[in-house]
Structures are given as structure tokens and as C-alpha cells.
């Protein structure tokens, strides 16, 4: 049940209420949501309902400390009211994911991988800006993007990335969103997974890559740092910093 739906049952007398939090609507990290997605009247109303339901809940759970801190600061909730319950799902459940071949276009290729929505909040444009330096330093490496293209300032994100890495456009591969069982072989065969989010609760993609034994480059200031030890189990860079990402 969503928090919005839960708000209509929250007045039931004597019934304990527990709310789970997602990224709060008003902001993403230190940036207002308006630059991520244009707010609608319905979205603003839903945000108010969710905030009030969360405030009235007897218990509040969050999968990461980063999200809890953001929600508490944005919605003015006392931090001691929030309990951290980390994501612990066994995401790679089928042995077929470990043995299935990668798509024909990737067979025999050395590549870095981004997978997830191609949108601004995920920092995909920052990766695009970092690619010229990376691909120049590694002449046989390709960059693979898998996911739904949600546009960037009125144009497809894929076109933005091609423009940013124009000299290496022939080494960029874009694939559509696909089911997990098709995605896992692509993750397993990647040299490294790059998740340069501007802000993130904790992407399942990070957990999937870790479970499949792939190193991950992600960003400071969000949930990634709760599962990645910089320089040991992966690498963390500053968000929005293409130079440090490269």
C-alpha cells in the first residue's frame, strides 16, 4: 500500500501505522525537484499527502541512512523516529543468469556498463561528458547503456551522450530496457558498472552488480556509500563531476 493510499486509513483508532519512505518529492539531494521533473498539481498534492501520512505514522522505515536523512530534513521529521531496514533481497535467483550468453552485439567486446533509466537524476549526462577521456585512454573499450530513455532537456538522452562523446560515437552501444534475466548476463560480462547518480536512495542495479561480482563506480552523498567501501569494494566519485568520474 502506498503512503497516499495509507493516508485514508490512518485515522483508524488504535491501529498502529508504519510508513516506508521513498525519495521525497520536494528535492533530490540539494537540488529542487523542478529541475528533475516538472511538478504537476497532482504530484504536489500527492507529496503533501505522503508527508502528512509519514509524520502521523507510528513507525517509519527507510532502506538507507542517506534517504532517512533527506526525508527527515525535507519533511521535518525527528531522525530518531526512523528505523533503517537495508534492502536484503536475493536479486540473482536463477543459475541461468550466470550461464546465459550476452547479446550478439556485445560478444567478445570489452565494455563499461550503465543500466537503468536514462535520465538527468541518474547522472547519465555526466558519464557522457566523462567518456571522451575514458575511451581515449582505453582504445578497445566500449560504453554500453541499457534502459528506457526519458529524455534530457527536450531531446533523447542517447543523442546527448552521442554529442558529448562525438569522436567515439562508433564505440557507444544503446540497448532498450530489458527483463532482469536478460540483463544479468550483460552485467556479468561488463568490465565495470558505472552508476553516476546525482542523488540515489540505493539503486538495485548496484546490488545486482555486486552480487554478480562486478566492480561499481558510483557517487558520494547517497545510499551507495553504505554498500561500497571506496577503493576496496568499488569506487566513489563526487556527483556532477565528469573529470573525477573519468
Amino acid at each position: 500500500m502506498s503512503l497516499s493510499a495509507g493516508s485514508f486509513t490512518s485515522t483508524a483508532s488504535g491501529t498502529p501505522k508504519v510508513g516506508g519512505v521513498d525519495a521525497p518529492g520536494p528535492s533530490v539531494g540539494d537540488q529542487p525537484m523542478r529541475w528533475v521533473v516538472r511538478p504537476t498539481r497532482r504530484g504536489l498534492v500527492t507529496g503533501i499527502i505522503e508527508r502528512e501520512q509519514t509524520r502521523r505514522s507510528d513507525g517509519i522505515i527507510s532502506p538507507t541512512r542517506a534517504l532517512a536523512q533527506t526525508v527527515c530534513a525535507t519533511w521535518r521529521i525527528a531522525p530518531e523516529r526512523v528505523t533503517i531496514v537495508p534492502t536484503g533481497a536475493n536479486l540473482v535467483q536463477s543459475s541461468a543468469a550466470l550461464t546465459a550468453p550476452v547479446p550478439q552485439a556485445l560478444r567478445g567486446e570489452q565494455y563499461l556498463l550503465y543500466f537503468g533509466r536514462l535520465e538527468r537524476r541518474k547522472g547519465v549526462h555526466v558519464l557522457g561528458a566523462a567518456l571522451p577521456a575514458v575511451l581515449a585512454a582505453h582504445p578497445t573499450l566500449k560504453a554500453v547503456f541499457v534502459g528506457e530513455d526519458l529524455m534530457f532537456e527536450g531531446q533523447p538522452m542517447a543523442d546527448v551522450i552521442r554529442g558529448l562523446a562525438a569522436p567515439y560515437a562508433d564505440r557507444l552501444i544503446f540497448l532498450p530496457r530489458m527483463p532482469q534475466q536478460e540483463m544479468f548476463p550483460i552485467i556479468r560480462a561488463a568490465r565495470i558498472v558505472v552508476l553516476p547518480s546525482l542523488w540515489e536512495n540505493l539503486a538495485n542495479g548496484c546490488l545486482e552488480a555486486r552480487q554478480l561480482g562486478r566492480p561499481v563506480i558510483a557517487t558520494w552523498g547517497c545510499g551507495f556509500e553504505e554498500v561500497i567501501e571506496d577503493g576496496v569494494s568499488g569506487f566513489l566519485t563526487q556527483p556532477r563531476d565528469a573529470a573525477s568520474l573519468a
Side-chain angles (χ1 to χ4, degrees), residues 129-186:
L131 282 178
V134 174
L135 297 178
H138 302 277
T140 63
L141 188 68
K142 294 190 175 182
V144 175
F145 297 81
V146 183
E148 181 182 5
D149 193 325
L150 296 185
M151 310 289 284
F152 180 89
E153 297 182 353
Q155 59 180 318
M157 181 66 83
D159 289 349
V160 172
I161 295 169
R162 290 187 184 100
L164 290 168
Y168 307 97
D170 60 333
R171 291 162 60 188
L172 307 178
I173 299 174
F174 295 89
L175 299 173
R177 179 182 178 184
M178 58 185 65
Q180 280 186 319
Q181 294 305 308
E182 296 178 26
M183 190 68 236
F184 289 153
I186 297 175

Side-chain angles (χ1 to χ4, degrees), residues 218-234:
T219 45
W220 289 104
C222 48
F224 290 126
E225 61 195 69
E226 297 176 36
V227 296
I228 295 175
E229 185 177 358
D230 187 34
V232 177
S233 56

Side-chain angles (χ1 to χ4, degrees), residues 2-246:
S2 70
L3 290 179
S4 302
S7 66
F8 294 104
T9 64
S10 66
T11 57
S13 177
T15 302
K17 299 167 286 294
V18 176
V21 295
D22 201 339
S27 67
V28 175
D30 61 351
Q31 297 293 325
M33 179 64 88
R34 60 181 167 76
W35 63 255
V36 180
V37 60
R38 184 180 299 277
T40 63
R41 179 176 299 178
R42 179 177 179 180
L44 292 172
V45 171
T46 298
I48 292 171
I49 292 173
E50 291 182 343
R51 180 192 66 199
E52 294 309 308
Q53 167 59 19
T54 302
R55 287 174 170 175
R56 291 200 300 266
S57 293
D58 297 291
I60 305 170
I61 60 175
S62 170
T64 63
R65 293 187 301 275
L67 178 59
Q69 291 166 0
T70 298
V71 169
C72 289
T74 303
W75 287 347
R76 298 180 182 178
I77 295 171
E80 59 270 18
R81 294 187 58 205
V82 182
T83 300
I84 308 302
V85 181
T87 300
N90 181 17
L91 298 168
V92 184
Q93 299 178 0
S94 172
S95 60
L98 304 178
T99 58
V102 299
Q104 184 64 42
L106 301 182
R107 292 178 188 174
E109 300 289 357
Q110 301 290 312
Y111 59 90
L112 65 81
L113 173 66
Y114 168 85
F115 64 105
R117 295 187 300 274
L118 274 64
E119 62 175 349
R120 183 169 187 164
R121 182 176 67 85
K122 296 290 188 177
V124 188
H125 58 298
V126 181
L127 175 55
L131 282 178
V134 174
L135 297 178
H138 302 277
T140 63
L141 188 68
K142 294 190 175 182
V144 175
F145 297 81
V146 183
E148 181 182 5
D149 193 325
L150 296 185
M151 310 289 284
F152 180 89
E153 297 182 353
Q155 59 180 318
M157 181 66 83
D159 289 349
V160 172
I161 295 169
R162 290 187 184 100
L164 290 168
Y168 307 97
D170 60 333
R171 291 162 60 188
L172 307 178
I173 299 174
F174 295 89
L175 299 173
R177 179 182 178 184
M178 58 185 65
Q180 280 186 319
Q181 294 305 308
E182 296 178 26
M183 190 68 236
F184 289 153
I186 297 175
I187 300 171
R188 177 177 51 81
R191 291 291 301 275
I192 196 163
V193 172
V194 185
L195 302 172
S197 298
L198 306 189
W199 196 90
E200 190 73 62
N201 170 23
L202 176 56
N204 279 346
C206 178
L207 302 179
E208 291 165 349
R210 293 286 307 279
Q211 194 169 357
L212 288 165
R214 295 299 84 200
V216 176
I217 299 177
T219 45
W220 289 104
C222 48
F224 290 126
E225 61 195 69
E226 297 176 36
V227 296
I228 295 175
E229 185 177 358
D230 187 34
V232 177
S233 56
F235 302 93
L236 296 170
T237 68
Q238 293 299 326
R240 308 179 184 87
D241 189 340
S244 67
L245 183 61

